[in-house]
Structures are given as structure tokens and as C-alpha cells.
PDB file of all heavy atoms in Angstrom:
ATOM      1  N   ALA A  24     -19.742 -10.783 -12.222  1.00  0.00           N
ATOM      2  CA  ALA A  24     -18.680 -10.076 -12.909  1.00  0.00           C
ATOM      3  C   ALA A  24     -18.321  -8.801 -12.152  1.00  0.00           C
ATOM      4  O   ALA A  24     -17.128  -8.472 -12.014  1.00  0.00           O
ATOM      5  CB  ALA A  24     -19.140  -9.712 -14.330  1.00  0.00           C
ATOM      6  N   GLU A  25     -19.323  -8.089 -11.622  1.00  0.00           N
ATOM      7  CA  GLU A  25     -19.025  -6.905 -10.857  1.00  0.00           C
ATOM      8  C   GLU A  25     -18.287  -7.232  -9.582  1.00  0.00           C
ATOM      9  O   GLU A  25     -17.376  -6.520  -9.175  1.00  0.00           O
ATOM     10  CB  GLU A  25     -20.311  -6.159 -10.530  1.00  0.00           C
ATOM     11  CG  GLU A  25     -21.019  -5.531 -11.733  1.00  0.00           C
ATOM     12  CD  GLU A  25     -22.335  -4.888 -11.390  1.00  0.00           C
ATOM     13  OE1 GLU A  25     -22.723  -5.021 -10.180  1.00  0.00           O
ATOM     14  OE2 GLU A  25     -22.950  -4.199 -12.238  1.00  0.00           O
ATOM     15  N   ALA A  26     -18.639  -8.371  -8.957  1.00  0.00           N
ATOM     16  CA  ALA A  26     -17.936  -8.781  -7.759  1.00  0.00           C
ATOM     17  C   ALA A  26     -16.469  -9.157  -8.035  1.00  0.00           C
ATOM     18  O   ALA A  26     -15.592  -8.790  -7.283  1.00  0.00           O
ATOM     19  CB  ALA A  26     -18.669  -9.966  -7.100  1.00  0.00           C
ATOM     20  N   ASP A  27     -16.244  -9.856  -9.177  1.00  0.00           N
ATOM     21  CA  ASP A  27     -14.855 -10.179  -9.535  1.00  0.00           C
ATOM     22  C   ASP A  27     -14.045  -8.925  -9.772  1.00  0.00           C
ATOM     23  O   ASP A  27     -12.879  -8.797  -9.350  1.00  0.00           O
ATOM     24  CB  ASP A  27     -14.854 -11.042 -10.795  1.00  0.00           C
ATOM     25  CG  ASP A  27     -15.438 -12.462 -10.495  1.00  0.00           C
ATOM     26  OD1 ASP A  27     -15.448 -12.848  -9.330  1.00  0.00           O
ATOM     27  OD2 ASP A  27     -15.878 -13.083 -11.474  1.00  0.00           O
ATOM     28  N   THR A  28     -14.649  -7.933 -10.508  1.00  0.00           N
ATOM     29  CA  THR A  28     -13.962  -6.684 -10.745  1.00  0.00           C
ATOM     30  C   THR A  28     -13.637  -5.941  -9.469  1.00  0.00           C
ATOM     31  O   THR A  28     -12.546  -5.397  -9.251  1.00  0.00           O
ATOM     32  CB  THR A  28     -14.825  -5.762 -11.672  1.00  0.00           C
ATOM     33  OG1 THR A  28     -15.095  -6.457 -12.891  1.00  0.00           O
ATOM     34  CG2 THR A  28     -14.084  -4.482 -11.952  1.00  0.00           C
ATOM     35  N   ALA A  29     -14.660  -5.975  -8.550  1.00  0.00           N
ATOM     36  CA  ALA A  29     -14.396  -5.305  -7.256  1.00  0.00           C
ATOM     37  C   ALA A  29     -13.318  -5.987  -6.465  1.00  0.00           C
ATOM     38  O   ALA A  29     -12.493  -5.312  -5.826  1.00  0.00           O
ATOM     39  CB  ALA A  29     -15.718  -5.317  -6.442  1.00  0.00           C
ATOM     40  N   ARG A  30     -13.233  -7.315  -6.515  1.00  0.00           N
ATOM     41  CA  ARG A  30     -12.194  -8.059  -5.817  1.00  0.00           C
ATOM     42  C   ARG A  30     -10.789  -7.686  -6.401  1.00  0.00           C
ATOM     43  O   ARG A  30      -9.823  -7.520  -5.680  1.00  0.00           O
ATOM     44  CB  ARG A  30     -12.434  -9.562  -5.904  1.00  0.00           C
ATOM     45  CG  ARG A  30     -13.576 -10.063  -5.063  1.00  0.00           C
ATOM     46  CD  ARG A  30     -13.595 -11.565  -5.019  1.00  0.00           C
ATOM     47  NE  ARG A  30     -14.770 -12.074  -4.274  1.00  0.00           N
ATOM     48  CZ  ARG A  30     -15.910 -12.438  -4.888  1.00  0.00           C
ATOM     49  NH1 ARG A  30     -16.030 -12.370  -6.221  1.00  0.00           N
ATOM     50  NH2 ARG A  30     -16.919 -12.874  -4.154  1.00  0.00           N
ATOM     51  N   GLU A  31     -10.717  -7.586  -7.742  1.00  0.00           N
ATOM     52  CA  GLU A  31      -9.474  -7.238  -8.372  1.00  0.00           C
ATOM     53  C   GLU A  31      -9.053  -5.828  -7.959  1.00  0.00           C
ATOM     54  O   GLU A  31      -7.861  -5.589  -7.652  1.00  0.00           O
ATOM     55  CB  GLU A  31      -9.607  -7.324  -9.905  1.00  0.00           C
ATOM     56  CG  GLU A  31      -9.791  -8.776 -10.403  1.00  0.00           C
ATOM     57  CD  GLU A  31      -9.991  -8.811 -11.905  1.00  0.00           C
ATOM     58  OE1 GLU A  31     -10.068  -7.741 -12.509  1.00  0.00           O
ATOM     59  OE2 GLU A  31     -10.082  -9.923 -12.458  1.00  0.00           O
ATOM     60  N   GLU A  32     -10.019  -4.890  -7.959  1.00  0.00           N
ATOM     61  CA  GLU A  32      -9.684  -3.527  -7.552  1.00  0.00           C
ATOM     62  C   GLU A  32      -9.238  -3.501  -6.105  1.00  0.00           C
ATOM     63  O   GLU A  32      -8.331  -2.738  -5.732  1.00  0.00           O
ATOM     64  CB  GLU A  32     -10.883  -2.622  -7.778  1.00  0.00           C
ATOM     65  CG  GLU A  32     -11.228  -2.397  -9.253  1.00  0.00           C
ATOM     66  CD  GLU A  32     -12.450  -1.470  -9.428  1.00  0.00           C
ATOM     67  OE1 GLU A  32     -13.020  -1.117  -8.392  1.00  0.00           O
ATOM     68  OE2 GLU A  32     -12.774  -1.145 -10.598  1.00  0.00           O
ATOM     69  N   LEU A  33      -9.909  -4.323  -5.257  1.00  0.00           N
ATOM     70  CA  LEU A  33      -9.512  -4.330  -3.852  1.00  0.00           C
ATOM     71  C   LEU A  33      -8.105  -4.890  -3.677  1.00  0.00           C
ATOM     72  O   LEU A  33      -7.306  -4.401  -2.883  1.00  0.00           O
ATOM     73  CB  LEU A  33     -10.505  -5.198  -3.067  1.00  0.00           C
ATOM     74  CG  LEU A  33     -10.217  -5.365  -1.566  1.00  0.00           C
ATOM     75  CD1 LEU A  33     -10.212  -4.026  -0.863  1.00  0.00           C
ATOM     76  CD2 LEU A  33     -11.244  -6.299  -0.913  1.00  0.00           C
ATOM     77  N   ALA A  34      -7.777  -5.952  -4.436  1.00  0.00           N
ATOM     78  CA  ALA A  34      -6.422  -6.511  -4.397  1.00  0.00           C
ATOM     79  C   ALA A  34      -5.376  -5.483  -4.801  1.00  0.00           C
ATOM     80  O   ALA A  34      -4.324  -5.314  -4.190  1.00  0.00           O
ATOM     81  CB  ALA A  34      -6.332  -7.746  -5.252  1.00  0.00           C
ATOM     82  N   LEU A  35      -5.682  -4.709  -5.893  1.00  0.00           N
ATOM     83  CA  LEU A  35      -4.766  -3.670  -6.317  1.00  0.00           C
ATOM     84  C   LEU A  35      -4.628  -2.596  -5.290  1.00  0.00           C
ATOM     85  O   LEU A  35      -3.519  -2.088  -5.007  1.00  0.00           O
ATOM     86  CB  LEU A  35      -5.239  -3.082  -7.647  1.00  0.00           C
ATOM     87  CG  LEU A  35      -5.212  -3.999  -8.885  1.00  0.00           C
ATOM     88  CD1 LEU A  35      -5.840  -3.316 -10.089  1.00  0.00           C
ATOM     89  CD2 LEU A  35      -3.762  -4.402  -9.183  1.00  0.00           C
ATOM     90  N   ALA A  36      -5.772  -2.219  -4.651  1.00  0.00           N
ATOM     91  CA  ALA A  36      -5.723  -1.193  -3.610  1.00  0.00           C
ATOM     92  C   ALA A  36      -4.897  -1.669  -2.431  1.00  0.00           C
ATOM     93  O   ALA A  36      -4.096  -0.909  -1.850  1.00  0.00           O
ATOM     94  CB  ALA A  36      -7.141  -0.841  -3.182  1.00  0.00           C
ATOM     95  N   LEU A  37      -5.020  -2.975  -2.058  1.00  0.00           N
ATOM     96  CA  LEU A  37      -4.234  -3.489  -0.924  1.00  0.00           C
ATOM     97  C   LEU A  37      -2.748  -3.527  -1.288  1.00  0.00           C
ATOM     98  O   LEU A  37      -1.907  -3.260  -0.405  1.00  0.00           O
ATOM     99  CB  LEU A  37      -4.721  -4.897  -0.581  1.00  0.00           C
ATOM    100  CG  LEU A  37      -6.129  -4.979   0.032  1.00  0.00           C
ATOM    101  CD1 LEU A  37      -6.522  -6.429   0.247  1.00  0.00           C
ATOM    102  CD2 LEU A  37      -6.167  -4.204   1.355  1.00  0.00           C
ATOM    103  N   GLU A  38      -2.417  -3.861  -2.538  1.00  0.00           N
ATOM    104  CA  GLU A  38      -1.001  -3.807  -2.941  1.00  0.00           C
ATOM    105  C   GLU A  38      -0.442  -2.421  -2.899  1.00  0.00           C
ATOM    106  O   GLU A  38       0.679  -2.191  -2.429  1.00  0.00           O
ATOM    107  CB  GLU A  38      -0.839  -4.432  -4.357  1.00  0.00           C
ATOM    108  CG  GLU A  38      -1.116  -5.901  -4.427  1.00  0.00           C
ATOM    109  CD  GLU A  38      -0.975  -6.455  -5.853  1.00  0.00           C
ATOM    110  OE1 GLU A  38      -0.700  -5.637  -6.744  1.00  0.00           O
ATOM    111  OE2 GLU A  38      -1.176  -7.656  -6.057  1.00  0.00           O
ATOM    112  N   ASP A  39      -1.256  -1.461  -3.413  1.00  0.00           N
ATOM    113  CA  ASP A  39      -0.827  -0.064  -3.364  1.00  0.00           C
ATOM    114  C   ASP A  39      -0.624   0.376  -1.903  1.00  0.00           C
ATOM    115  O   ASP A  39       0.336   1.139  -1.592  1.00  0.00           O
ATOM    116  CB  ASP A  39      -1.855   0.836  -4.074  1.00  0.00           C
ATOM    117  CG  ASP A  39      -1.923   0.629  -5.529  1.00  0.00           C
ATOM    118  OD1 ASP A  39      -0.922   0.067  -6.081  1.00  0.00           O
ATOM    119  OD2 ASP A  39      -2.920   1.003  -6.174  1.00  0.00           O
ATOM    120  N   ARG A  40      -1.512  -0.069  -1.046  1.00  0.00           N
ATOM    121  CA  ARG A  40      -1.366   0.312   0.388  1.00  0.00           C
ATOM    122  C   ARG A  40      -0.126  -0.292   0.978  1.00  0.00           C
ATOM    123  O   ARG A  40       0.601   0.395   1.727  1.00  0.00           O
ATOM    124  CB  ARG A  40      -2.622  -0.177   1.144  1.00  0.00           C
ATOM    125  CG  ARG A  40      -2.569   0.185   2.636  1.00  0.00           C
ATOM    126  CD  ARG A  40      -3.751  -0.314   3.374  1.00  0.00           C
ATOM    127  NE  ARG A  40      -3.676  -0.055   4.801  1.00  0.00           N
ATOM    128  CZ  ARG A  40      -4.555  -0.389   5.662  1.00  0.00           C
ATOM    129  NH1 ARG A  40      -5.657  -1.059   5.280  1.00  0.00           N
ATOM    130  NH2 ARG A  40      -4.414  -0.101   6.965  1.00  0.00           N
ATOM    131  N   ARG A  41       0.191  -1.550   0.655  1.00  0.00           N
ATOM    132  CA  ARG A  41       1.380  -2.151   1.201  1.00  0.00           C
ATOM    133  C   ARG A  41       2.637  -1.428   0.690  1.00  0.00           C
ATOM    134  O   ARG A  41       3.593  -1.195   1.436  1.00  0.00           O
ATOM    135  CB  ARG A  41       1.437  -3.643   0.831  1.00  0.00           C
ATOM    136  CG  ARG A  41       0.500  -4.521   1.664  1.00  0.00           C
ATOM    137  CD  ARG A  41       0.817  -5.992   1.477  1.00  0.00           C
ATOM    138  NE  ARG A  41       0.529  -6.424   0.124  1.00  0.00           N
ATOM    139  CZ  ARG A  41      -0.636  -6.906  -0.258  1.00  0.00           C
ATOM    140  NH1 ARG A  41      -1.633  -7.024   0.607  1.00  0.00           N
ATOM    141  NH2 ARG A  41      -0.868  -7.308  -1.498  1.00  0.00           N
ATOM    142  N   ALA A  42       2.642  -1.069  -0.629  1.00  0.00           N
ATOM    143  CA  ALA A  42       3.772  -0.350  -1.181  1.00  0.00           C
ATOM    144  C   ALA A  42       3.913   1.031  -0.509  1.00  0.00           C
ATOM    145  O   ALA A  42       5.016   1.476  -0.181  1.00  0.00           O
ATOM    146  CB  ALA A  42       3.611  -0.173  -2.681  1.00  0.00           C
ATOM    147  N   LEU A  43       2.752   1.658  -0.257  1.00  0.00           N
ATOM    148  CA  LEU A  43       2.808   2.989   0.373  1.00  0.00           C
ATOM    149  C   LEU A  43       3.310   2.878   1.833  1.00  0.00           C
ATOM    150  O   LEU A  43       4.068   3.707   2.306  1.00  0.00           O
ATOM    151  CB  LEU A  43       1.396   3.592   0.378  1.00  0.00           C
ATOM    152  CG  LEU A  43       1.275   5.011   0.928  1.00  0.00           C
ATOM    153  CD1 LEU A  43       2.143   5.965   0.127  1.00  0.00           C
ATOM    154  CD2 LEU A  43      -0.192   5.466   0.891  1.00  0.00           C
ATOM    155  N   GLU A  44       2.890   1.763   2.512  1.00  0.00           N
ATOM    156  CA  GLU A  44       3.398   1.574   3.873  1.00  0.00           C
ATOM    157  C   GLU A  44       4.884   1.321   3.887  1.00  0.00           C
ATOM    158  O   GLU A  44       5.595   1.810   4.803  1.00  0.00           O
ATOM    159  CB  GLU A  44       2.677   0.399   4.504  1.00  0.00           C
ATOM    160  CG  GLU A  44       1.197   0.662   4.858  1.00  0.00           C
ATOM    161  CD  GLU A  44       0.492  -0.556   5.395  1.00  0.00           C
ATOM    162  OE1 GLU A  44       1.108  -1.651   5.301  1.00  0.00           O
ATOM    163  OE2 GLU A  44      -0.629  -0.430   5.863  1.00  0.00           O
ATOM    164  N   LEU A  45       5.402   0.602   2.887  1.00  0.00           N
ATOM    165  CA  LEU A  45       6.868   0.405   2.786  1.00  0.00           C
ATOM    166  C   LEU A  45       7.574   1.733   2.562  1.00  0.00           C
ATOM    167  O   LEU A  45       8.636   2.006   3.137  1.00  0.00           O
ATOM    168  CB  LEU A  45       7.172  -0.556   1.657  1.00  0.00           C
ATOM    169  CG  LEU A  45       6.719  -2.020   1.907  1.00  0.00           C
ATOM    170  CD1 LEU A  45       7.015  -2.884   0.638  1.00  0.00           C
ATOM    171  CD2 LEU A  45       7.456  -2.614   3.124  1.00  0.00           C
ATOM    172  N   ARG A  46       7.006   2.584   1.677  1.00  0.00           N
ATOM    173  CA  ARG A  46       7.617   3.886   1.418  1.00  0.00           C
ATOM    174  C   ARG A  46       7.568   4.728   2.690  1.00  0.00           C
ATOM    175  O   ARG A  46       8.536   5.422   3.048  1.00  0.00           O
ATOM    176  CB  ARG A  46       6.919   4.595   0.271  1.00  0.00           C
ATOM    177  CG  ARG A  46       7.188   4.001  -1.096  1.00  0.00           C
ATOM    178  CD  ARG A  46       6.809   4.928  -2.212  1.00  0.00           C
ATOM    179  NE  ARG A  46       5.373   5.198  -2.236  1.00  0.00           N
ATOM    180  CZ  ARG A  46       4.486   4.478  -2.923  1.00  0.00           C
ATOM    181  NH1 ARG A  46       4.896   3.413  -3.628  1.00  0.00           N
ATOM    182  NH2 ARG A  46       3.211   4.786  -2.867  1.00  0.00           N
ATOM    183  N   HIS A  47       6.442   4.668   3.401  1.00  0.00           N
ATOM    184  CA  HIS A  47       6.330   5.443   4.675  1.00  0.00           C
ATOM    185  C   HIS A  47       7.358   4.946   5.650  1.00  0.00           C
ATOM    186  O   HIS A  47       7.973   5.745   6.379  1.00  0.00           O
ATOM    187  CB  HIS A  47       4.934   5.293   5.252  1.00  0.00           C
ATOM    188  CG  HIS A  47       3.953   6.189   4.550  1.00  0.00           C
ATOM    189  ND1 HIS A  47       2.655   6.354   4.999  1.00  0.00           N
ATOM    190  CD2 HIS A  47       4.065   6.974   3.463  1.00  0.00           C
ATOM    191  CE1 HIS A  47       1.998   7.196   4.220  1.00  0.00           C
ATOM    192  NE2 HIS A  47       2.847   7.565   3.263  1.00  0.00           N
ATOM    193  N   ASP A  48       7.560   3.626   5.727  1.00  0.00           N
ATOM    194  CA  ASP A  48       8.542   3.090   6.669  1.00  0.00           C
ATOM    195  C   ASP A  48       9.937   3.565   6.335  1.00  0.00           C
ATOM    196  O   ASP A  48      10.690   3.932   7.226  1.00  0.00           O
ATOM    197  CB  ASP A  48       8.469   1.542   6.621  1.00  0.00           C
ATOM    198  CG  ASP A  48       9.414   0.928   7.658  1.00  0.00           C
ATOM    199  OD1 ASP A  48       9.158   1.020   8.863  1.00  0.00           O
ATOM    200  OD2 ASP A  48      10.441   0.349   7.208  1.00  0.00           O
ATOM    201  N   ALA A  49      10.318   3.593   5.019  1.00  0.00           N
ATOM    202  CA  ALA A  49      11.601   4.078   4.646  1.00  0.00           C
ATOM    203  C   ALA A  49      11.769   5.578   5.014  1.00  0.00           C
ATOM    204  O   ALA A  49      12.805   6.029   5.479  1.00  0.00           O
ATOM    205  CB  ALA A  49      11.852   3.867   3.147  1.00  0.00           C
ATOM    206  N   ILE A  50      10.694   6.338   4.749  1.00  0.00           N
ATOM    207  CA  ILE A  50      10.749   7.786   5.063  1.00  0.00           C
ATOM    208  C   ILE A  50      10.893   7.992   6.553  1.00  0.00           C
ATOM    209  O   ILE A  50      11.673   8.830   7.014  1.00  0.00           O
ATOM    210  CB  ILE A  50       9.494   8.494   4.470  1.00  0.00           C
ATOM    211  CG1 ILE A  50       9.533   8.490   2.937  1.00  0.00           C
ATOM    212  CG2 ILE A  50       9.410   9.958   4.979  1.00  0.00           C
ATOM    213  CD1 ILE A  50       8.255   9.018   2.321  1.00  0.00           C
ATOM    214  N   PHE A  51      10.120   7.247   7.350  1.00  0.00           N
ATOM    215  CA  PHE A  51      10.173   7.392   8.806  1.00  0.00           C
ATOM    216  C   PHE A  51      11.600   7.038   9.291  1.00  0.00           C
ATOM    217  O   PHE A  51      12.142   7.690  10.189  1.00  0.00           O
ATOM    218  CB  PHE A  51       9.168   6.468   9.488  1.00  0.00           C
ATOM    219  CG  PHE A  51       7.777   7.021   9.420  1.00  0.00           C
ATOM    220  CD1 PHE A  51       6.673   6.175   9.388  1.00  0.00           C
ATOM    221  CD2 PHE A  51       7.522   8.395   9.419  1.00  0.00           C
ATOM    222  CE1 PHE A  51       5.383   6.677   9.380  1.00  0.00           C
ATOM    223  CE2 PHE A  51       6.234   8.876   9.361  1.00  0.00           C
ATOM    224  CZ  PHE A  51       5.166   8.036   9.326  1.00  0.00           C
ATOM    225  N   THR A  52      12.205   5.999   8.704  1.00  0.00           N
ATOM    226  CA  THR A  52      13.537   5.579   9.125  1.00  0.00           C
ATOM    227  C   THR A  52      14.535   6.704   8.864  1.00  0.00           C
ATOM    228  O   THR A  52      15.369   7.032   9.705  1.00  0.00           O
ATOM    229  CB  THR A  52      13.972   4.308   8.387  1.00  0.00           C
ATOM    230  OG1 THR A  52      13.039   3.252   8.696  1.00  0.00           O
ATOM    231  CG2 THR A  52      15.354   3.867   8.824  1.00  0.00           C
ATOM    232  N   LYS A  53      14.414   7.299   7.654  1.00  0.00           N
ATOM    233  CA  LYS A  53      15.355   8.404   7.315  1.00  0.00           C
ATOM    234  C   LYS A  53      15.128   9.601   8.247  1.00  0.00           C
ATOM    235  O   LYS A  53      16.098  10.237   8.693  1.00  0.00           O
ATOM    236  CB  LYS A  53      15.145   8.842   5.857  1.00  0.00           C
ATOM    237  CG  LYS A  53      15.601   7.778   4.852  1.00  0.00           C
ATOM    238  CD  LYS A  53      15.427   8.291   3.409  1.00  0.00           C
ATOM    239  CE  LYS A  53      15.948   7.265   2.410  1.00  0.00           C
ATOM    240  NZ  LYS A  53      15.745   7.708   0.981  1.00  0.00           N
ATOM    241  N   LEU A  54      13.860   9.895   8.549  1.00  0.00           N
ATOM    242  CA  LEU A  54      13.608  11.019   9.424  1.00  0.00           C
ATOM    243  C   LEU A  54      14.087  10.760  10.838  1.00  0.00           C
ATOM    244  O   LEU A  54      14.669  11.654  11.478  1.00  0.00           O
ATOM    245  CB  LEU A  54      12.066  11.293   9.465  1.00  0.00           C
ATOM    246  CG  LEU A  54      11.449  11.915   8.224  1.00  0.00           C
ATOM    247  CD1 LEU A  54       9.961  12.044   8.369  1.00  0.00           C
ATOM    248  CD2 LEU A  54      12.076  13.264   7.895  1.00  0.00           C
ATOM    249  N   GLU A  55      13.916   9.513  11.315  1.00  0.00           N
ATOM    250  CA  GLU A  55      14.434   9.196  12.637  1.00  0.00           C
ATOM    251  C   GLU A  55      15.947   9.308  12.702  1.00  0.00           C
ATOM    252  O   GLU A  55      16.498   9.834  13.653  1.00  0.00           O
ATOM    253  CB  GLU A  55      13.989   7.771  13.001  1.00  0.00           C
ATOM    254  CG  GLU A  55      12.490   7.638  13.288  1.00  0.00           C
ATOM    255  CD  GLU A  55      12.027   6.207  13.342  1.00  0.00           C
ATOM    256  OE1 GLU A  55      12.826   5.293  13.032  1.00  0.00           O
ATOM    257  OE2 GLU A  55      10.876   5.955  13.754  1.00  0.00           O
ATOM    258  N   ASP A  56      16.648   8.826  11.641  1.00  0.00           N
ATOM    259  CA  ASP A  56      18.114   8.945  11.605  1.00  0.00           C
ATOM    260  C   ASP A  56      18.515  10.426  11.565  1.00  0.00           C
ATOM    261  O   ASP A  56      19.454  10.839  12.250  1.00  0.00           O
ATOM    262  CB  ASP A  56      18.664   8.188  10.380  1.00  0.00           C
ATOM    263  CG  ASP A  56      18.454   6.710  10.511  1.00  0.00           C
ATOM    264  OD1 ASP A  56      18.253   6.210  11.654  1.00  0.00           O
ATOM    265  OD2 ASP A  56      18.501   6.028   9.494  1.00  0.00           O
ATOM    266  N   ALA A  57      17.811  11.219  10.731  1.00  0.00           N
ATOM    267  CA  ALA A  57      18.164  12.622  10.614  1.00  0.00           C
ATOM    268  C   ALA A  57      17.953  13.354  11.957  1.00  0.00           C
ATOM    269  O   ALA A  57      18.818  14.183  12.357  1.00  0.00           O
ATOM    270  CB  ALA A  57      17.335  13.301   9.509  1.00  0.00           C
TER     271      ALA A  57
END
């Protein structure tokens, strides 16, 4: 059960990281254009 919970938390963390990378990419693009 602890392993399943850890896997779920890891999946959420990976999704948050991908979303953060997308936001960073958008910010970098705007900064490069500016």
C-alpha cells in the first residue's frame, strides 16, 4: 500500500514537473521575444 501511494505521489510530481516545464518554456519564449 505504501508503495502504491508512493507511485501515485511520484506520478503527480512528474505531472507537476511537466506542467512547470511547459510554463517555463512559455516564459522563456516571451523573454526571448522581449
Side-chain angles (χ1 to χ4, degrees):
E25 291 177 354
D27 293 338
T28 303
R30 289 192 185 93
E31 293 176 357
E32 291 179 356
L33 178 60
L35 293 175
L37 292 176
E38 291 179 0
D39 293 339
R40 180 181 177 181
R41 284 193 293 270
L43 185 60
E44 289 176 350
L45 292 176
R46 289 196 296 270
H47 281 187
D48 183 70
I50 292 173
F51 283 150
T52 301
K53 291 182 179 179
L54 288 176
E55 290 168 350
D56 294 340

